[in-house]
Amino acid sequence: NHQGRNQATTLDRKHSMTTYAPTVNHDAAADDAAAFDAVEFGALSEMIGEDGVREMVEIFATETRQRLRRLTAGGQNCATLVREMHTLKGAAGTVAAPRLALLGRAFEQAAQRGIGPTSDDLKAIDTALEAFLAAVQTWSKAAGISGG
C-alpha cells in the first residue's frame, strides 16, 4: 500500500496522526516498568564512578528534554522519528531507565510503521524522565553521593 506509506512519510504536529493512524499502545509494558533500576544504576556507578554517572545522567536529561522539544515542534519524517526513538531507547537502557527504554522501543516501532507520537505519548516520556530523575536523586542521597 504505497499510498498509506506516502501519507505517513512526513509527520506534522499541526495535523493529528490519529486521523489515519491508531494511537500507540505503550501502556501495558511501559507503565508497569520501573522508572529506575537501582541495581543496574549501582553497577554503572561502580563502573564509571560517581562523577561519571552524575555527568551521564545530566547529559541524558538534557538530550532527552531537547528531543522532546524537537518532537513537540513536529515536522519530522519517519526516518528521523525512528532515529530519535532508537536513541532514546538505547540511552535510557544505558542509564538504567527501563520505563523510558520501553517507551522508546514502542515509539520506535510505531515510527517504523509511519505513526508519530501524540502529545500524550510525549507527555508519557516527559513523566517517565522526571520519575527517573527523582529516583536517581533519591538513590544518590541514600548512597551518600553529593549533587545527585
Side-chain angles (χ1 to χ4, degrees):
N1 182 343
H2 293 290
Q3 183 179 10
R5 279 198 301 217
N6 290 338
Q7 185 178 20
T9 298
T10 300
L11 305 175
D12 186 345
R13 300 299 315 151
K14 294 176 187 166
H15 299 90
S16 174
M17 289 298 300
T18 57
T19 58
Y20 58 88
T23 301
V24 176
N25 183 7
H26 62 81
D27 298 322
D31 289 349
D32 290 340
F36 176 74
D37 184 331
V39 173
E40 288 295 318
F41 194 82
L44 179 64
S45 183
E46 285 185 25
M47 189 169 30
I48 66 173
E50 294 172 8
D51 290 341
V53 79
R54 185 174 23 256
E55 183 179 356
M56 184 177 274
V57 168
E58 289 171 7
I59 291 167
F60 174 73
T62 299
E63 289 182 354
T64 301
R65 288 182 177 125
Q66 290 171 345
R67 180 169 292 107
L68 282 168
R69 281 193 293 277
R70 285 191 301 271
L71 293 169
T72 299
Q76 295 86 8
N77 64 32
C78 290
T80 300
L81 285 173
V82 169
R83 185 177 62 248
E84 290 280 16
M85 293 306 173
H86 180 80
T87 303
L88 173 63
K89 175 183 73 174
T94 300
V95 298
R99 184 178 308 152
L100 280 165
L102 286 172
L103 288 169
R105 184 183 78 192
F107 299 141
E108 177 187 19
Q109 290 170 348
Q112 289 168 342
R113 296 189 313 271
I115 302 169
T118 66
S119 59
D120 286 344
D121 296 336
L122 298 177
K123 184 174 171 40
I125 293 171
D126 184 55
T127 300
L129 174 63
E130 294 308 318
F132 167 74
L133 294 173
V136 167
Q137 188 171 39
T138 299
W139 183 90
S140 296
K141 286 179 182 174
I145 299 172
S146 63

